[in-house]
Every structure is written in structure tokens, then in C-alpha cells.
Amino acid sequence: MYFLEDVKYEALELPDRATMTDAEMITSAEAFSTFMTQRHTVRDYSDRPVDEAVIAECIRAAGTAPSGANHQPWHFVAISDPDMKARIREVAEEEEKAFYAGGAGDEWLKALEPVGTDESKPHLTKAPWLIVIFAQRWGMTRDGHRYKNYYVPESTGIASGFLLAALHHAGLTSLTHTPNPMKFLNEMCGRPASEKALMIVAVGHPSEDATVPAVAKMKKPMDEIMSVNPAPTQGNDENKK
Ligand SMILES: Cc1cc2nc3c(=O)[nH]c(=O)nc-3n(C[C@H](O)[C@H](O)[C@H](O)COP(=O)(O)O)c2cc1C
């Protein structure tokens, strides 16, 4: 990270400008949308290794994400060490046991039923890589003072999305895993208290018999996720709450 005292505003000509015709734009948008429908959260992994260089390149892509004040408040810890993965699995499964035994509450457990998950997390040791994504709640100046980061969950969420898309683009499958709580990951990954683990992304190739839950293919229709020029909801009491 650069230090604020070393940089000032300077305008650069827009780099990497791409221009498309309207027809090219729709073709490109459709192709990307189709490509993204082929991304699936996969919970069953094969033994096929994945080169560290591929993981690093995907994290590089994640690091290009936009962020509040360009503070890039994230850190990605990539883990392939089998012992470390085993330790993460052990603690995560301990927490998942309590979660599935009722800690999650009835409504959450019911929501998870069609996804078919339980407290067993073999992907944490089977997948060749685990990427732990940390959000940096604050940073440190050169002389050891805290500086604020802005829109940390939003920025890190966008970077995480870039990472999942990059992994998919590299021909890999992934699983976003969120053991709860995740504090143990700071110590295990040697990360400071200023950071908060957001998720563990298991990465690898699917096993021959990998499946996905049918519900995962049931995405909301466009009229539920997009409105165009909507009428305002003035006077709607719901918005005042
Ligand atoms: C923030 C977040 C947390 C998730 N946590 C878990 C998890 O702990 N375990 C799991 O098996 N899947 C988890 N998932 C994966 C979702 O279950 C999955 O994305 C959803 O079922 C849709 O499937 P798809 O990713 O194949 O579209 C999580 C996804 C997100 C975005």
C-alpha cells in the first residue's frame, strides 16, 4: 500500500480503453452472463493439484477490484499445506457441529435443507487450496498510526466476487465457506487483530462424482432482481422503519 503523504492527485489518460459496437456489446454481455451461469459452488473435490501461479493470478485479479478511497482493505491467505488445512477443518467442523445442532436457529437450518449441507466439511482438506479472505478494518501509517478504511465489507465483498469469477475463468471450481465464528483464522493465518476473516474459499477441480444441489440452479428471474425506472414509493411506511 502506498502512503498518503507520498501521493497526490494526478490525471492519467484512460488506460486500456475498449470500444465496442452496440451489437458487440450485447454479444459480449450475453457471453459473460452464460459463462457465469456455468459457475457452481462445488463441495466435492478431486486430488488434482492446482499450480500456485494460477491461484496467485486469480488473487491478482481480485486485487484489481474497486474499493472505498482505493484503500484495498483486503488480504488473501492461500493455503495448500495439508497440516494447516487439517487444523482449519478440525476447528471449523467443531463450530459447524454446534451450528447444525441448533446454534443456527430453526429458520436458518430450514433454509439450508435444500442446499444439503451438514457439519461435515471434507472439502477443507480435499480441495488443494483454501483461500482465507480477510477484511482490513483499519490500516497503519508509516509511523504506526491507525488510518480508517472505508466501505470495508462492500469493497472486500466486491473483491471476493472478482476472485470467484477469476477462479471460474481459470477452469477451477470453488466453495464459499463461512464457519461461524471465524476468529480462529486470525491466529492460524498469522493475521493482525485489525483484520476480520470473511470467508474461506475452497478451490480445486471437482471430483468425478461431484453434484450440485438442484436449488442452486434456481436463480431469481430478472423481474425480481432488476427494475428499470421504477415508480417511487413515497408514503410507503415500510421504508420509514
Ligand atoms: C457469503 C456466503 C457464505 C456461504 N457459506 C457457505 C457455507 O458455509 N457452506 C456451504 O456449503 N456453502 C456456503 N455458501 C455457498 C452457497 O450455499 C451457494 O452459493 C448457494 O447455494 C448457491 O449456489 P451456487 O454458488 O452454485 O450458485 C456460501 C455462499 C456465500 C456467498
Side-chain angles (χ1 to χ4, degrees):
M1 182 66 184
Y2 51 82
F3 287 96
L4 266 188
E5 56 268 34
D6 298 336
V7 286
K8 58 179 175 30
Y9 176 73
E10 185 194 352
L12 298 179
E13 247 178 62
L14 179 63
D16 315 316
R17 183 189 292 273
T19 43
M20 289 189 199
T21 64
D22 288 357
E24 285 167 341
M25 279 164 58
I26 187 69
T27 304
S28 180
E30 282 172 356
F32 188 69
S33 164
T34 301
F35 172 70
M36 291 307 283
T37 65
Q38 294 157 356
R39 181 208 56 83
H40 306 294
T41 291
V42 166
R43 297 178 178 82
D44 312 299
Y45 287 88
S46 79
D47 293 327
R48 184 174 161 194
V50 173
D51 203 315
E52 183 180 322
V54 181
I55 300 297
E57 221 43 59
C58 293
I59 292 174
R60 193 194 306 280
T64 67
S67 62
N70 194 35
H71 277 200
Q72 306 156 59
W74 46 65
H75 186 85
F76 299 85
V77 175
I79 300 164
S80 62
D81 177 60
D83 292 339
M84 199 164 170
K85 288 193 296 178
R87 285 205 304 282
I88 290 176
R89 178 176 174 183
E90 198 182 319
V91 183
E93 284 187 335
E94 208 49 54
E95 288 178 351
E96 296 284 340
K97 260 185 222 153
F99 179 90
Y100 283 95
D106 288 347
E107 188 174 348
W108 197 345
L109 290 177
K110 193 159 172 34
L112 286 172
E113 255 173 40
V115 183
T117 51
D118 58 28
E119 66 269 21
S120 166
K121 302 294 170 193
H123 55 266
L124 291 175
T125 43
K126 199 78 200 283
W129 288 94
L130 301 180
I131 302 174
V132 187
I133 305 179
F134 287 90
Q136 298 178 326
R137 289 179 285 209
W138 67 85
M140 280 290 173
T141 61
R142 213 181 331 238
D143 53 3
H145 288 99
R146 281 185 188 193
Y147 63 79
K148 259 175 85 85
N149 283 332
Y150 306 95
Y151 298 109
V152 173
E154 294 85 346
S155 303
T156 317
I158 294 171
S160 304
F162 274 34
L163 177 67
L164 298 188
L167 293 166
H168 176 47
H169 194 251
L172 293 165
T173 51
S174 66
L175 164 57
T176 313
H177 178 81
T178 41
N180 190 4
M182 284 197 274
K183 233 174 169 259
F184 72 94
L185 289 164
N186 280 68
E187 193 182 324
M188 221 172 254
C189 299
R191 300 307 302 169
S194 55
E195 297 186 1
K196 182 181 188 308
L198 288 190
M199 60 190 90
I200 304 172
V201 180
V203 183
H205 295 281
S207 66
E208 284 297 324
D209 57 355
T211 58
V212 295
V215 73
K217 293 300 292 172
M218 298 177 193
K219 300 302 188 195
K220 286 183 178 176
M222 280 302 283
D223 63 355
E224 279 186 40
I225 65 167
M226 180 181 179
S227 308
V228 181
N229 303 325
T233 54
Q234 264 172 10
N236 182 341
D237 286 344
E238 275 295 302
N239 290 339
K240 289 185 187 147
K241 284 179 192 160

